[in-house]
Amino acid sequence: MGERIAVIGCGYVGSVAAGCLASIGHEVVGVERDAARLALLRSSVAPVHEPGLTELLAAGVESGRLRLTDDPAAALEFADAVFLCVGTPPGPDGRPEMGAMSDAARTIAAHLRPGHVVVTKSTVPIGTGEWLAGEVRAELARRSRDGVPVVVVSNPEFLREGSAVEDFLHPDRVVLGGNDPGAVERVAAIYEPILAGRPGEGRVPLVRTGLSTAEMTKYASNAFLATKIGFANEMSRLCDLFGTDVATVMDAVGLDRRIGGAFLEAGIGWGGSCLGKDLAALVGSARDRGYEPRLLEAAVGVNEAQRQQVVDSLAGLLAPLAHRRVAVLGLAFKPGTDDVRDSPGLDVAKRLVLLGARVVAFDPMVREADPRWGLELAGDVTSAVRGAHAVVVATAWPEFASLDAGELLRSMGGDVLFDGRNVFDPVAMRAAGFRYVSPGRAAVGDAPGAPGPFAGAFGLAAAHEH
Ligand code: NAD
């Protein structure tokens, strides 16, 4: 027998959660206050580009187990568990804005009844579960309803955009934090079909812990991922200095089971709506308590430097950069999504525009450019690269990797190729006649007899290694 669930906030996380929870047998009401998003959801169209989501929402609505509304009162009346999936975007000082959480607290308090369990899925500063319970209690007191118990469970979400449905249904682990063991078990029961795992693969680990510890696991996971990429990028600088190849080094390093190969790609760094925001929040709250988290600050600094490396490198190779035509291939922060929030490619493009370059960008999923970006958006790769003095690959869309080197070079007006995602074979690209730059790959395929170690970064001159 499925549980009755309200999902408050149906953006990336909420629409996926609502669709997935309905698909495993629960009765779900999604609450969304944005009228345009709600209209899409009601016609079973995913509000964001996410593989399988539209089909999942349609199946949920068809089965009668998924309904969508803008009326929280009706949803809370119906539900026993309330999943909070509202946004916590970064504020002006980098810390998360908690306005949507505060609104949700008031809404919940207005309709809370005994038996409700509130589940926080949004990524929130450590201590938010306790704060939320306090906000709801205060609001209940104002309404002379002090007797209603407030039960909060933290259930951080680890899904990745681009594979969100798959990640929700087949997670590496589920984390549940709460101070009421009975409530934690109720939420665990909601997840049971997911916790059972795929046939033959064993159960999905369930971590039961306290409220704040669960909140910290989300920040710690993202901080580690950002640091891991930052480590590969730091090594890319050393590899360029010593004439060694970062891709080979990181592949070999990643074969160590204590390390693992994922998130060790050097390039122009991480972006997206979560890593930067969550790292800034964690760094900010550590400082509030008087601690400078040096490793995390370094991860942010290295990431920033990777973006600037593209600009510095092009400025050196094209000197001057002003009025040169640069094609930026990829604006989404990663392949498989149309999300440009904190996108490295878009950031690099804007930096080039500021220095007077004429930037023409192309992305298979990003079909509209904000005029404030100051760039031209091409309809396909061919028109983006035509006449370009330099091409920058900023997102690892598979179609960029399969570009024909000869054709690309002939259509350009120059020969500089900055491969920010390591999608090309450096040997082949250098042999084809490009001045090819990729972080940490300066030494690969260079002419024999080139200068030895310490020859300088960015592939201008380096040791040879085949
Ligand atoms: P989002 O902005 O896409 O979605 C939030 C939605 O909540 C919006 O549609 C908004 O209209 C709605 N909303 C806000 N307040 C509401 C209210 N009171 N009633 C009804 N609807 C309301 O954000 P998102 O990307 O889904 O992220 C949500 C949370 O999950 C954030 O805390 C984020 O950090 C976290 N998270 C995001 C991801 C990701 O990949 N996007 C992954 C893990 C965790």
Side-chain angles (χ1 to χ4, degrees):
M1 179 61 188
E3 184 100 14
R4 294 174 160 204
I5 298 172
V7 174
I8 313 247
C10 291
Y12 261 99
V13 169
S15 61
V16 170
C20 289
L21 290 169
S23 81
I24 59 171
H26 300 298
E27 291 181 68
V28 181
V29 182
V31 186
E32 175 54 56
R33 68 179 178 187
D34 179 299
R37 261 192 178 169
L38 182 64
L40 285 174
L41 288 160
R42 278 190 163 148
S43 43
S44 296
V45 177
V48 292
H49 172 78
E50 199 56 56
L53 182 55
T54 289
E55 295 79 353
L56 193 75
L57 294 171
V61 170
E62 174 95 346
S63 71
R65 285 199 302 274
L66 174 61
R67 285 176 293 140
L68 295 139
T69 180
D70 56 2
D71 179 6
L76 267 88
E77 167 79 15
F78 168 80
D80 297 313
V82 184
F83 280 63
L84 280 184
C85 302
V86 302
T88 49
D93 64 352
R95 288 159 205 235
E97 276 182 4
M98 299 298 282
M101 285 300 270
S102 288
D103 288 355
R106 276 191 295 279
T107 305
I108 288 168
H111 308 288
L112 197 75
R113 57 170 163 72
H116 268 147
V117 53
V118 178
V119 183
T120 53
K121 247 193 166 339
S122 304
T123 304
V124 286
I126 297 126
T128 296
E130 300 283 5
W131 166 84
L132 182 72
E135 293 283 293
V136 175
R137 279 191 198 104
E139 188 64 30
L140 285 169
R142 273 194 286 279
R143 294 164 184 266
S144 308
R145 299 178 64 224
D146 314 56
V148 182
V150 182
V151 180
V152 178
V153 171
S154 165
N155 169 218
E157 181 51 59
F158 299 98
L159 62 77
R160 296 163 299 174
E161 287 181 20
S163 53
V165 171
E166 176 72 11
D167 289 348
F168 191 98
L169 293 172
H170 304 289
D172 291 338
R173 77 303 210 186
V174 171
V175 176
L176 296 178
N179 305 333
D180 175 336
V184 169
E185 290 321 308
R186 269 180 64 198
V187 183
I190 291 175
Y191 276 100
E192 180 48 35
I194 290 173
L195 292 168
R198 295 181 209 260
E201 283 187 8
R203 288 183 66 79
V204 170
L206 169 64
V207 179
R208 297 177 177 89
T209 182
L211 259 179
S212 300
T213 304
E215 291 162 351
M216 179 60 104
T217 60
K218 174 63 187 179
Y219 280 122
S221 293
N222 275 355
F224 186 77
L225 293 172
T227 308
K228 203 174 176 196
I229 298 175
F231 177 81
N233 281 328
E234 182 94 292
M235 292 311 298
S236 79
R237 300 302 183 117
L238 301 187
C239 283
D240 279 341
L241 289 174
F242 288 94
T244 54
D245 174 23
V246 75
T248 311
V249 171
M250 285 299 120
D251 282 351
V253 167
L255 288 171
D256 186 325
R257 271 171 293 194
R258 293 169 303 176
I259 298 172
F263 275 65
L264 279 182
E265 290 99 10
I268 62 169
W270 44 261
S273 70
C274 289
L275 288 190
K277 164 177 87 86
D278 295 351
L279 221 53
L282 189 55
V283 167
S285 36
R287 284 186 187 146
D288 287 347
R289 285 162 182 73
Y291 179 73
E292 281 297 322
R294 277 165 291 194
L295 182 62
L296 305 185
E297 287 165 359
V300 174
V302 168
N303 203 54
E304 151 63 26
Q306 292 308 105
R307 296 180 184 190
Q308 187 57 30
Q309 182 185 7
V310 185
V311 179
D312 294 344
S313 179
L314 293 193
L317 291 164
L318 296 179
L321 194 52
H323 309 302
R324 299 301 186 117
R325 190 178 157 118
V326 180
V328 173
L329 301 185
L331 289 176
F333 84 92
K334 68 173 182 180
T337 177
D338 56 356
D339 197 341
V340 296
R341 289 179 285 181
D342 193 23
S343 154
L346 179 56
D347 187 14
V348 163
K350 287 185 193 164
R351 291 178 196 218
L352 292 168
V353 167
L354 274 179
L355 292 174
R358 187 173 155 219
V359 177
V360 186
F362 168 73
D363 188 290
M365 280 316 288
V366 181
R367 311 313 290 172
E368 271 174 46
D370 186 325
R372 284 171 301 181
W373 298 346
L375 51 80
E376 201 182 300
L377 197 61
D380 51 40
V381 178
T382 316
S383 27
V385 301
R386 192 176 301 128
H389 298 103
V391 168
V392 176
V393 177
T395 312
W397 287 105
E399 64 196 87
F400 299 153
S402 56
L403 287 172
D404 180 86
E407 247 173 65
L408 178 61
L409 189 59
R410 277 192 296 281
S411 64
M412 288 170 62
D415 60 358
V416 174
L417 178 56
F418 193 107
D419 184 359
R421 295 298 177 194
N422 195 15
V423 301
F424 296 118
D425 173 7
V427 178
M429 296 323 254
R430 291 191 171 121
F434 284 102
R435 283 190 286 165
Y436 174 87
V437 188
S438 186
R441 311 213 70 194
V444 187
D446 242 11
F454 309 109
F458 314 148
L460 296 173
H464 67 275
E465 190 178 280
H466 293 272

